[in-house]
Amino acid sequence: MAGQRRVLDIEDCMIGTDAVRLGAKQARKDARAKMSSFKRGATLLVRETNVPKDDPQGDVSSIPAADLVKDYVLDFKGWVTDVVGELKFRYPASSFFQNNASILPAFTGYVRDELNQWSRRLAAEGGPGELRHLIDAYCGSGLFGIACHAGFDKVLGIEISNESISCANDNAKMNGIDNCDFLLGDASKLFDKVDTDPRHTAVIIDPPRKGSNPDFLDQLVAYGPRVIVYIACGVPAQARDINHMFSRGAISIDGAVATVETKPSSVYEVVSIQPFDLFPQTYHVENIVTLVRKE
């Protein structure tokens, strides 16, 4: 009825992991005990984490990922440890990390394979040669830069959140990776910090759902990395951004480019499009588009 509030008790989440479902039971119990103190509702947090088997509060940094066990976090001020293959990523429970840990090894592995295969192909084709540098824009706590570091001389990540940059550098150290450097800064000014040869550089962009912005995209094209991997949770925004590049004459489709007054210094081909279903039972997908610069 109008003006009334009712609480609908969700007893279980059938698509949740075992740890999340167990945490939800405790969260329901806590909410019932505090119900009278909720004046305007409440936001509850339930996140899966990985902890030492014999000491749930213990330090995970020195323990192999395979030896950790699943647990849950309810405290917004707590910390989460996610495991992706043999890698560990630690970050505040209230911050963003890719959803659906079960698919992350395949998800990050696809990006890594795309970069590696194009590095080999470009080396075999002659010209400038293989990819040697990787730039991770919108890097967050370092997921893609760290997962894809192998084979590169240097990985540079950038993020506007000081907390995320601290996590990314700590995560690289925790995983014994010494070719990653994560810097605080706005992705729109990323290329002020870049001194690598674009002919040997790949760029990963993984913006928020709203997508990137024309200023960054124009700077990206002007810099002209050999390979761009665009990861998107907002596919309409990704399509808009790629269309922006096309409208600037920076993307070739079947050999044709848009007619523009000033030709861009770099022109790309879309060589692959691969969606991943990180959000089951919804219409949302993550989508990965790989673009390679034409020589």
Side-chain angles (χ1 to χ4, degrees), residues 61-97:
S61 60
S62 60
I63 301 176
D67 293 339
L68 299 175
V69 297
K70 300 295 184 183
D71 202 350
Y72 59 85
V73 173
L74 304 180
D75 185 359
F76 281 88
K77 297 181 179 180
W79 284 75
V80 171
T81 300
D82 258 319
V83 170
V84 181
E86 297 180 352
L87 298 171
K88 296 172 293 185
F89 295 89
R90 190 162 166 77
Y91 54 90
S94 59
S95 66
F96 172 81
F97 196 78

Side-chain angles (χ1 to χ4, degrees), residues 31 77 108 135 137 211 222 268 273 276 287 291:
K77 297 181 179 180
T108 58
I135 297 171
Y268 292 86
I273 302 173
F276 282 83
N287 195 50
L291 305 100

Side-chain angles (χ1 to χ4, degrees), residues 1-284:
M1 296 177 61
Q4 293 186 354
R5 294 180 179 178
R6 294 184 179 181
V7 175
L8 177 62
D9 186 8
I10 306 299
E11 297 183 0
D12 196 5
C13 176
M14 300 304 294
I15 65 172
T17 65
D18 290 344
V20 166
R21 294 171 74 181
L22 187 62
K25 289 183 179 181
Q26 184 61 48
R28 287 175 64 236
K29 181 179 178 180
D30 294 346
R32 284 179 180 275
K34 301 176 182 177
M35 190 72 70
S36 61
S37 67
F38 298 156
K39 303 303 181 184
R40 294 182 176 272
T43 299
L44 306 180
L45 171 77
V46 183
R47 295 194 77 157
E48 183 177 272
T49 188
N50 293 267
V51 300
K53 183 176 182 180
D54 299 323
D55 183 10
Q57 303 302 318
D59 182 13
V60 301
S61 60
S62 60
I63 301 176
D67 293 339
L68 299 175
V69 297
K70 300 295 184 183
D71 202 350
Y72 59 85
V73 173
L74 304 180
D75 185 359
F76 281 88
K77 297 181 179 180
W79 284 75
V80 171
T81 300
D82 258 319
V83 170
V84 181
E86 297 180 352
L87 298 171
K88 296 172 293 185
F89 295 89
R90 190 162 166 77
Y91 54 90
S94 59
S95 66
F96 172 81
F97 196 78
Q98 289 289 349
N99 187 37
N100 196 343
S102 66
I103 202 174
L104 289 186
F107 189 45
T108 58
Y110 176 83
V111 177
R112 182 175 60 250
D113 291 346
E114 282 288 279
L115 294 169
N116 290 341
Q117 72 148 324
W118 276 105
S119 184
R120 292 192 299 270
R121 289 180 63 171
L122 294 171
E125 291 173 0
E130 65 184 358
L131 300 172
R132 299 174 188 166
H133 310 285
L134 177 62
I135 297 171
D136 183 8
Y138 310 93
C139 69
S141 53
L143 174 62
F144 288 103
I146 291 172
C148 300
H149 79 282
F152 289 97
D153 294 342
K154 188 70 176 178
V155 177
L156 174 66
I158 191 164
E159 173 63 53
I160 60 173
S161 166
N162 188 55
E163 185 176 61
S164 293
I165 287 298
S166 178
C167 288
N169 283 307
D170 288 345
N171 286 332
K173 183 179 179 181
M174 178 170 61
N175 287 288
I177 296 169
D178 59 9
N179 67 335
C180 293
D181 190 15
F182 298 97
L183 304 176
L184 182 67
D186 190 333
S188 66
K189 300 179 180 178
L190 167 66
F191 300 102
D192 293 344
K193 302 175 181 288
V194 173
D195 59 1
T196 61
D197 186 339
R199 298 175 301 170
H200 300 289
T201 301
V203 174
I204 295 172
I205 62 174
D206 182 21
R209 187 171 295 277
K210 67 180 181 180
S212 189
N213 61 74
D215 182 50
F216 171 80
L217 296 170
D218 291 344
Q219 290 183 57
L220 177 65
V221 171
Y223 172 66
R226 198 74 187 279
V227 175
I228 300 170
V229 179
Y230 189 149
I231 304 162
C233 60
V235 179
Q238 182 187 50
R240 179 205 65 209
D241 290 344
I242 291 175
N243 185 63
H244 171 82
M245 295 173 67
F246 175 75
S247 71
R248 293 289 200 270
I251 290 182
S252 170
I253 299 178
D254 295 329
V257 297
T259 301
V260 293
E261 292 185 6
T262 304
K263 292 184 178 180
S265 56
S266 305
V267 177
Y268 292 86
E269 288 184 305
V270 175
V271 297
S272 66
I273 302 173
Q274 179 62 58
F276 282 83
D277 186 11
L278 269 70
F279 315 100
Q281 314 301 325
T282 78
Y283 64 85
H284 295 289

